[in-house]
C-alpha cells in the first residue's frame, strides 16, 4: 500500500514508494508550479503575436479574444487531467503525464478535426458570429461567448475520446515504469518542465486554428491598395495604323493618360491624316 503524504506536502513518499502521492498535484508546491507554467506558456502566445508580420498582426483586443478562448479550453483540460489522475491509487504524476502527452498528440488531431467540422457547419449555416476569430465590427462580446462555447464543446469531445483510450489496461503498466524516486523532482518534471515545451508548441498551433482564417483585414486592405496602385500605373498597349499602312504600338501610361474626350479627338485627327508619299531615289537620283 502507498503511504499518504504529510499535510501541506503531498509529495512525500514512504519507504519503497516511487513518485508523488494522491493530492500532490494540488498541494502548495503543485499549485505554484501550475501557476508558473500558465504564465510561461501564455507568454509564448505574446511572442507569437510579435512574430507575426506587421500587415497580419492582430490588434491587442482581437489577440486577447483569440487567446482567451484557448486559455479557457486548456484550463478545462488541465483540471480534468488533475481530477482523473487522482481517481486511482496509482502514481498521479505519472497518470497526469500520460494524460497530458495524449492530449498533445492524439488530442491535437481531435481538436483539429473538431474545429474543421464546426467551422464547416458554421459556414453551411452562415452563422457569421460563430466563425472562429471574427467578432464583428465593432467587436461584439456575444460572438466571443458563442465561439468560446463551441471551443469548450470541442475540448469536451477531445477529452472524452482520451478517457476512452485511457481505459486500455496497458496504460497502468506504463504508469508503473516511473524511474524517479524524488517526488518533488517528478512533480516539477511533470507539471513544469515537460508541459512548458509541449504547451508552447500546442498553444502556437492551436492559435493558428482559432485565429481568423485567410488574410486579415489589414492585409486585404493592403492588397487592394497595391492592386489599385498597380492598375493605376499599369502599362497598356493599343494598335493604330501608321502612315505607311504598317502597325505600330502606341504606348499609353495611365500616369499621363489624357481625358477620354481629348484622346478620342487626337485619335480621330491621327486616323484622318492623309499619307505622305515619299520620293523614291534610285542611284542617288530622284525619279
Amino acid at each position: 500500500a502507498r503511504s499518504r503524504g504529510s499535510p501541506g506536502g503531498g509529495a512525500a513518499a514512504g519507504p519503497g514508494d516511487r513518485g508523488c502521492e494522491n493530492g500532490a498535484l494540488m498541494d502548495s508546491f503543485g499549485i505554484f508550479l501550475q501557476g508558473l507554467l500558465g504564465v510561461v506558456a501564455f507568454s509564448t502566445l505574446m511572442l507569437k503575436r510579435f512574430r507575426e508580420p506587421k500587415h497580419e498582426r492582430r490588434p491587442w483586443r482581437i489577440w486577447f479574444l483569440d487567446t482567451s478562448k484557448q486559455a479557457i479550453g486548456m484550463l478545462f483540460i488541465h483540471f480534468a487531467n488533475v481530477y482523473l489522475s487522482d481517481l486511482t491509487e496509482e502514481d498521479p504524476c505519472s497518470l497526469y503525464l500520460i494524460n497530458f502527452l495524449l492530449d498533445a498528440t492524439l488530442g491535437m488531431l481531435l481538436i483539429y478535426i473538431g474545429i474543421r467540422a464546426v467551422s464547416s457547419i458554421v459556414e453551411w449555416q452562415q452563422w457569421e458570429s460563430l466563425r472562429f476569430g471574427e467578432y464583428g465590427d465593432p467587436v461584439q462580446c456575444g460572438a466571443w461567448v458563442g465561439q468560446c462555447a463551441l471551443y469548450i464543446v470541442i475540448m469536451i469531445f477531445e477529452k472524452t475520446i482520451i478517457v476512452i483510450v485511457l481505459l486500455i489496461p496497458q496504460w497502468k503498466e506504463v504508469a508503473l515504469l516511473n524511474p524517479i524516486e524524488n517526488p518533488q523532482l517528478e512533480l516539477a518534471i511533470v507539471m513544469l518542465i515537460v508541459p512548458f515545451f509541449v504547451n508552447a508548441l500546442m498553444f502556437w498551433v492551436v492559435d493558428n486554428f482559432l485565429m481568423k482564417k485567410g488574410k486579415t483585414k489589414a492585409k486585404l486592405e493592403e492588397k487592394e491598395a497595391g492592386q489599385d496602385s498597380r492598375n493605376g500605373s499599369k502599362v497598356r498597349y493599343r494598335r493604330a495604323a501608321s502612315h505607311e499602312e504598317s502597325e505600330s504600338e502606341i504606348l499609353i501610361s495611365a500616369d499621363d493618360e489624357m481625358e477620354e474626350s481629348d484622346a478620342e479627338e487626337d485619335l480621330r485627327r491621327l486616323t484622318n491624316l492623309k499619307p505622305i508619299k515619299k520620293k523614291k531615289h534610285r542611284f542617288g537620283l530622284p525619279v
Side-chain angles (χ1 to χ4, degrees):
R2 295 176 61 87
S3 60
R4 296 288 173 183
S6 58
D17 285 334
R18 286 177 181 270
C20 51
E21 296 293 327
N22 288 346
L25 299 178
M26 293 303 294
D27 67 5
S28 57
F29 184 61
I31 292 175
F32 168 74
L33 291 177
Q34 294 171 54
L36 182 60
L37 172 65
V39 173
V40 174
F42 201 72
S43 65
T44 61
L45 291 174
M46 298 184 67
L47 174 63
K48 180 179 182 295
R49 181 186 180 274
F50 288 113
R51 295 278 296 176
E52 294 173 353
K54 288 186 177 181
H55 59 270
E56 294 183 358
R57 188 174 298 166
R58 291 164 289 178
W60 279 109
R61 178 183 295 183
I62 301 300
W63 174 87
F64 176 77
L65 294 175
D66 285 343
T67 55
S68 60
K69 291 181 295 188
Q70 185 174 176
I72 293 174
M74 290 300 178
L75 283 174
F76 168 78
I77 293 295
H78 170 73
F79 286 112
N81 289 342
V82 171
Y83 174 76
L84 293 171
S85 300
D86 275 336
L87 286 181
T88 68
E89 293 297 323
E90 305 298 333
D91 178 9
C93 291
S94 297
L95 292 177
Y96 179 88
L97 184 61
I98 292 172
N99 270 279
F100 177 78
L101 293 178
L102 283 174
D103 288 326
T105 52
L106 177 60
M108 183 72 70
L109 176 62
L110 294 172
I111 292 172
Y112 173 75
I113 294 173
I115 291 177
R116 289 297 299 269
V118 169
S119 298
S120 298
I121 295 174
V122 168
E123 290 297 327
W124 176 48
Q125 296 292 336
Q126 291 297 307
W127 294 329
E128 295 185 1
S129 62
L130 296 181
R131 289 180 181 141
F132 286 118
E134 300 185 21
Y135 308 100
D137 188 16
V139 174
Q140 299 177 0
C141 292
W144 177 84
V145 172
Q147 294 175 30
C148 192
L150 284 180
Y151 186 63
I152 292 176
V153 169
I154 293 172
M155 302 304 281
I156 293 174
F157 160 75
E158 180 266 344
K159 198 63 211 174
T160 302
I161 301 299
I162 296 299
V163 169
I164 294 174
V165 173
L166 284 172
L167 294 178
I168 300 174
Q170 282 73 16
W171 289 114
K172 290 185 178 181
E173 299 177 7
V174 175
L176 294 175
L177 298 177
N178 174 25
I180 303 174
E181 296 185 6
N182 188 321
Q184 290 193 338
L185 175 60
E186 182 189 13
L187 192 59
I189 292 174
V190 168
M191 299 295 290
L192 180 63
I193 299 175
V194 174
F196 167 71
F197 294 101
V198 179
N199 272 338
L201 176 63
M202 287 182 63
F203 276 36
W204 201 289
V205 173
V206 175
D207 186 54
N208 288 331
F209 295 163
L210 295 179
M211 66 188 296
K212 184 176 180 179
K213 299 299 181 293
K215 299 178 174 61
T216 60
K217 182 178 179 182
K219 188 169 184 179
L220 287 174
E221 291 176 351
E222 180 178 333
K223 182 179 179 182
E224 290 175 358
Q227 287 178 344
D228 292 342
S229 176
R230 286 193 297 271
N231 291 336
S233 59
K234 186 176 179 180
V235 175
R236 298 196 303 271
Y237 296 87
R238 64 177 171 84
R239 294 187 178 272
S242 70
H243 299 308
E244 298 184 0
E245 298 181 352
S246 63
E247 290 185 340
S248 63
E249 292 180 337
I250 299 177
L251 180 62
I252 298 178
S253 172
D255 294 333
D256 52 4
E257 188 175 353
M258 297 177 294
E259 294 294 333
E260 184 177 356
S261 58
D262 295 338
E264 291 178 354
E265 183 178 350
D266 292 341
L267 182 59
R268 194 179 302 113
R269 284 203 305 264
L270 179 62
T271 55
N272 289 335
L273 287 176
K274 295 182 179 180
I276 301 174
K277 294 184 179 180
K278 292 184 178 179
K279 296 183 179 180
K280 296 183 180 180
H281 294 72
R282 181 176 299 174
F283 301 106
L285 298 176
V287 293

